[in-house]
Amino acid sequence: MLPKSARFHLVGAIPLRSTPRSRFPAVPGATGAGCRGPARRIPARRDMAHATRTTAKAAKSRNPPGGPFPGIAHASGKGLWLTPRSAPKTVGQELSRHPRSSTRMSVTQQVLAEELAESAEAPSFLRTVDRRDVHRWAVSEVFLTGVARTPEGGYTAFAQLPPVHHYFTDQVLPQDTPDSILIMECCRQAATFIAHRGLSVPRDSAFHVTDWSLELTGRSRPAGTGRPGELTMLVTVVPSQVRGGVVRAARFVLELLVDGRPAGRCDVSARYSPAAEAEIVRRYHRRTAPPWSSALPPAPAGVPVPAGDVGRRDRANVVLADVRRLFRGVAARIAPPLDHGTHFDHPQDHYPAMILLEAARQAAVLARSPGARVTGYRSRFLRFAELDAPVRVAAAPRDDREVAVRFRQGGTLVSEIVVAAEEPAR
């Protein structure tokens, strides 16, 4: 028998604003305060089912589809809630008013009740979000596990860092910080989710990253722990362009914590365009429709860089080819496999920012050494990097800490990224 305070956690696992007692309809045969009908005990299963139906109706009336923050939990001092109203209560708290509404649970039900009660208090790292809201086809490529609206108007986002991944953890040397590209991907997913669910940017909109920076600080966790890391992102959103009541551009500032310890800061700005408008602009600049990655040969042309030279073990994760050593730095060409499970999780009509960031990381490592420790980026994305024309990469050290990387296509500057890459301590 569970204590009274935990008897109804099974139906009260999702915190909701309490429904006034007068709103409960009469239940034939129910007993207890606020219930009408003959004093006859009904089975607990019917009692719990009735409470679930009643609570669902109350939740729908308070947070209807298309509400102010659809699909986003709301945070207060007591946990995460489904509606923005204050002083919410759980269903269990509401039902605890009925002193005679008790039930006997099996061991399995007790375990389930405890898990659901835990999810009500800390739902941050239990399950991933809808993959469509982070622009992924494969659920295995989704790391974002939740987003909560804070009372101050910002957001708290949560992501689980996988201990093993075919790409993000493919590193020659053990790292005492999470992979910088993995952190960038988690920040991208958080900003994309908030754009859709918090700023109401339609899912079929084209996203254009314009500026993106990351700074990782300190040693956030020991290498080789064998367990997932927990990334918490404290997000401040500033809509920088609103047209006709629709957000067309925004900036996201994310303070990062890994396993509860400060880990750095990310700053990303993006523009949002309706799909039809984005297609017109692309055709205007190209004069032709851009090809999709799925329609091109998957194998990259040219001579790929040895995986170990760019700090990778798997050559499938190499995105550079035809490398030339220069007096100061290196020159290469972007050449990722177009069937890569992460880079091209779904068909693309250009090289996305995440590929350019990985190419910059690999070029910086080439300019330094395979053991170089990459801790940050400062990026500007000026034009689309097209799939059907060579994209040239040039990397040169600026000082002992930074490497400047530039991308050109057809002689035009496409992007420039400064990579913080330091030689390993000897």
Side-chain angles (χ1 to χ4, degrees), residues 40 43 52 182 245 363:
R40 181 171 58 85
T52 303
L182 172 59

Side-chain angles (χ1 to χ4, degrees), residues 56 89 126 200 290 311 332 350 361 366 391 415:
K89 294 182 180 180
L126 296 181
S200 300
H350 65 285
R361 190 200 70 80
L366 278 173
V391 179
S415 175

Side-chain angles (χ1 to χ4, degrees), residues 2-13 41 44 47-48 51 90-103 105 113:
L2 291 175
K4 290 184 178 180
S5 61
R7 287 176 185 169
F8 291 96
H9 278 183
L10 184 59
V11 295
R41 178 67 186 158
D47 196 12
M48 295 171 70
T90 65
V91 180
Q93 289 173 328
E94 175 64 35
L95 293 179
S96 64
R97 297 179 178 182
H98 305 269
R100 298 180 60 183
S101 297
S102 62
T103 183
M105 288 185 174

Side-chain angles (χ1 to χ4, degrees), residues 66-108:
F69 306 107
I72 295 184
H74 296 264
S76 73
K78 298 182 179 180
L80 301 176
W81 316 101
L82 295 181
T83 68
R85 295 171 172 82
S86 59
K89 294 182 180 180
T90 65
V91 180
Q93 289 173 328
E94 175 64 35
L95 293 179
S96 64
R97 297 179 178 182
H98 305 269
R100 298 180 60 183
S101 297
S102 62
T103 183
R104 188 181 301 276
M105 288 185 174
S106 66
V107 174
T108 303

Side-chain angles (χ1 to χ4, degrees), residues 193-244:
F193 184 94
I194 293 171
H196 286 310
R197 294 298 190 95
L199 305 181
S200 300
V201 176
R203 277 182 176 166
D204 63 348
S205 298
F207 281 48
H208 314 279
V209 176
T210 56
D211 300 272
W212 202 349
S213 66
L214 173 72
E215 181 183 5
L216 296 179
T217 58
R219 307 302 201 257
S220 59
R221 68 196 314 250
T225 59
R227 63 177 179 81
E230 294 183 345
L231 173 64
T232 302
M233 296 164 275
L234 310 178
V235 189
T236 301
V237 184
V238 180
S240 53
Q241 184 181 34
V242 180
R243 189 183 304 170

Side-chain angles (χ1 to χ4, degrees), residues 113-421:
E114 292 172 0
E115 290 179 351
L116 291 176
E118 179 184 353
S119 71
E121 298 172 359
S124 49
F125 302 104
L126 296 181
R127 60 187 62 84
T128 56
V129 301
D130 189 329
R131 60 180 178 79
R132 296 170 297 178
D133 288 323
V134 295
H135 299 181
R136 284 300 192 188
W137 274 9
V139 175
S140 60
E141 295 296 321
V142 179
F143 307 119
L144 191 70
T145 57
V147 174
R149 186 71 185 264
T150 64
E152 295 77 16
Y155 299 85
T156 302
F158 311 94
Q160 188 180 76
L161 306 176
V164 178
H165 189 274
H166 74 97
Y167 166 59
F168 290 112
T169 62
D170 176 37
Q171 299 166 342
V172 170
L173 299 176
Q175 302 289 319
D176 53 7
T177 58
D179 180 61
S180 59
I181 296 293
L182 172 59
I183 297 295
M184 296 287 266
E185 171 62 16
C186 292
C187 293
R188 183 199 69 79
Q189 292 189 12
T192 303
F193 184 94
I194 293 171
H196 286 310
R197 294 298 190 95
L199 305 181
S200 300
V201 176
R203 277 182 176 166
D204 63 348
S205 298
F207 281 48
H208 314 279
V209 176
T210 56
D211 300 272
W212 202 349
S213 66
L214 173 72
E215 181 183 5
L216 296 179
T217 58
R219 307 302 201 257
S220 59
R221 68 196 314 250
T225 59
R227 63 177 179 81
E230 294 183 345
L231 173 64
T232 302
M233 296 164 275
L234 310 178
V235 189
T236 301
V237 184
V238 180
S240 53
Q241 184 181 34
V242 180
R243 189 183 304 170
V246 178
V247 176
R248 300 296 297 269
R251 178 187 175 195
F252 302 81
V253 179
L254 304 93
E255 300 294 337
L256 310 175
L257 299 94
V258 175
D259 298 333
R261 294 187 291 273
R265 186 176 188 266
C266 182
D267 191 326
V268 56
S269 297
R271 298 195 314 267
Y272 314 114
S273 304
E277 177 183 311
E279 183 177 358
I280 292 173
V281 173
R282 290 297 307 280
R283 285 177 176 267
Y284 173 79
H285 287 290
R286 285 181 48 92
R287 308 302 180 190
T288 60
W292 290 98
S293 57
S294 55
L296 298 174
V303 180
V305 180
D309 290 354
V310 293
R312 297 294 190 187
R313 294 188 299 266
D314 187 350
R315 64 181 182 180
N317 293 326
V318 175
V319 299
L320 298 180
D322 300 335
V323 171
R324 293 182 294 114
R325 295 281 179 178
L326 306 177
F327 175 70
R328 290 190 73 251
V330 297
R333 183 174 56 82
I334 291 184
L338 298 185
D339 57 354
H340 192 275
T342 297
H343 296 320
F344 295 94
D345 162 80
H346 55 280
Q348 303 276 3
D349 66 353
H350 65 285
Y351 291 118
M354 288 300 300
I355 292 182
L356 298 182
L357 286 165
E358 174 62 19
R361 190 200 70 80
Q362 294 188 13
V365 170
L366 278 173
R368 292 286 196 213
S369 72
R373 180 171 176 265
V374 176
T375 60
Y377 308 85
R378 295 197 310 275
S379 314
R380 288 199 312 147
F381 302 95
L382 308 174
R383 299 174 62 91
F384 283 101
E386 306 290 354
L387 299 175
D388 54 352
V391 179
R392 308 291 180 183
V393 186
R398 299 178 60 177
D399 50 37
D400 293 339
R401 294 193 65 254
E402 295 183 337
V403 178
V405 184
R406 289 181 173 84
F407 300 85
R408 295 182 182 273
Q409 190 168 46
T412 302
L413 184 64
V414 171
S415 175
E416 50 186 3
I417 302 174
V418 176
V419 182

